[in-house]
Amino acid sequence: MSKVAIMTKFFPEEVARLCAAGHLVTVHEEGGDKAAVVKYASDAEALVIPLSLRIDVDTIARLAALKIIANLGVGVDNIDVAAATRRKILVTNTPDVLTEATADLAWALLLAVARRIVEADQDLRREGFLGWTFISKHLGVDVYGKTMGIIGFGRIGQAIARRAKGFGMTVLYHARTPKPEVEEELGARFTPLAELLSASDFVVLCVPLTSDTRHLIGERELSFMKRDAILVNIARGPVVDEEALARALKEGRILGAGLDVFEHEPQVHPDLLLLPNVVLTPHIGSATWTTRRRMAALAVDNVLAFFRGERPPTLVNPEAWLM
Ligand code: NAP
Ligand code: GLV
């Protein structure tokens, strides 16, 4: 019987699958910090964690029995994967199952900022429907037929591009490597970063957070963007220099931003909270019932596979498996 610690509120049917396979499962609904992991999971062989939980080298050192960490998210920047690998601890994530929901959220933010949906809703609730106005304070910008620049053209970036076809958009993308195999189908063109930033009406960030992508968008990159461009970030907060972004938005150097992620989560830069040209969501890219159920099932699939002696289906550090 192996011990599995789940450090978040979880779906009972997935807990039941682990129990049915003979594992001893504990669920720690308030297990969102390092102290809770060390307290409750010190003898666990498997950890199922929310992506908000940071598993650093020190935490790994304190979890002597640990053999697998199943992250509830595709991004694994919350885990010191190198430290886990050195200890032969497997790390798994939840790719694919959340791609479409996250692409939808990117589009929701884009449309909300472009068409000033949140401002209009708040005004209506506060002041009532004051009547149809021709030159109204809620005039936004067109989306149809515009140019979208997607930075990070993997699963989510490409899913966002697929939706852009329906909006008659020109799609530019940037990634580490060009993707000629999908360019025709998606009507997308590989473009150097500076050129993408200066040509796009909407810039959408879809890269993982790594040492190369931290502050990929800073003062200089923001200065390349059009004054009427909108930035959407569904990737990770630190991909953008939030201080520089807040300044650019305040000074009207770009038109607006839709942000699902923040540099210092759960803190949000105070200036962003005051700006009307920004729509903010609390990291809800994958937050639909169906997607969260699929993520939970995939995390459990990974743990069950490992305990059966099989390679987990979405293993992030195959080196640890081969060691
Ligand atoms: P993916 O399929 O691995 O795609 C990542 C893309 O980023 C790839 O095209 C990759 O380029 C590109 N990239 C990596 N490093 C780069 C760099 N230094 N410069 C330019 N491009 C770079 O990942 P995904 O499934 O689409 O997910 C992407 C990220 O979205 C996740 O890591 C996560 O942080 C974030 N996310 C957020 C939410 C949310 O709730 N807001 C939900 C899901 C995911 P190559 O193709 O050339 O390697
Ligand atoms: C969400 O942010 C994820 O990485 O899945």
Side-chain angles (χ1 to χ4, degrees), residues 135-316:
I135 307 284
S136 93
K137 71 174 274 208
H138 297 130
L139 297 189
V141 294
D142 282 333
V143 175
Y144 192 87
K146 292 291 194 69
T147 297
M148 171 180 273
I150 302 176
I151 301 175
F153 208 57
R155 291 168 288 245
I156 298 170
Q158 292 179 27
I160 292 169
R162 213 162 282 124
R163 288 154 174 74
K165 282 186 110 177
F167 281 83
M169 290 178 129
T170 298
V171 177
L172 310 177
Y173 74 91
H174 184 74
R176 287 175 300 194
T177 48
K179 326 254 167 252
E181 67 284 4
V182 295
E183 288 194 358
E184 194 178 327
E185 180 214 332
L186 298 175
R189 178 164 61 82
F190 181 81
T191 309
L193 185 59
E195 190 187 321
L196 178 151
L197 290 167
S198 57
S200 299
D201 301 299
F202 302 96
V203 173
V204 188
L205 303 177
C206 310
V207 289
L209 175 61
T210 64
S211 51
D212 290 337
T213 62
R214 188 173 292 275
H215 283 198
L216 185 67
I217 303 298
E219 194 74 50
R220 181 165 170 272
E221 290 70 27
L222 290 164
S223 76
F224 295 152
M225 289 176 65
K226 296 182 185 181
R227 285 191 90 86
D228 59 355
I230 288 170
L231 179 73
V232 173
N233 187 6
I234 56 86
R236 282 290 183 272
V239 171
V240 177
D241 176 346
E242 208 164 80
E243 190 70 46
L245 174 63
R247 249 192 331 267
L249 287 161
K250 263 197 297 196
E251 293 167 9
R253 284 186 274 121
I254 65 171
L255 185 70
L259 306 174
D260 186 46
V261 286
F262 303 91
E263 189 162 2
H264 305 289
E265 289 181 19
Q267 267 100 47
V268 176
H269 193 295
D271 291 353
L272 293 175
L273 296 170
L274 300 173
L275 291 168
N277 52 340
V278 181
V279 174
L280 309 167
T281 48
H283 203 148
I284 59 167
S286 66
T288 72
W289 284 101
T290 303
T291 296
R292 287 286 160 89
R293 282 187 201 284
R294 287 184 183 147
M295 290 164 69
L298 182 51
V300 168
D301 287 348
N302 276 300
V303 171
L304 289 174
F306 169 71
F307 284 132
R308 284 194 304 267
E310 296 164 13
R311 180 182 158 132
T314 53
L315 184 59
V316 171

Side-chain angles (χ1 to χ4, degrees), residues 51 72-75 94 98 235-236 283 286 295:
L51 59 77
L72 291 163
V74 63
T94 58
L98 46 60
R236 282 290 183 272
H283 203 148
S286 66
M295 290 164 69

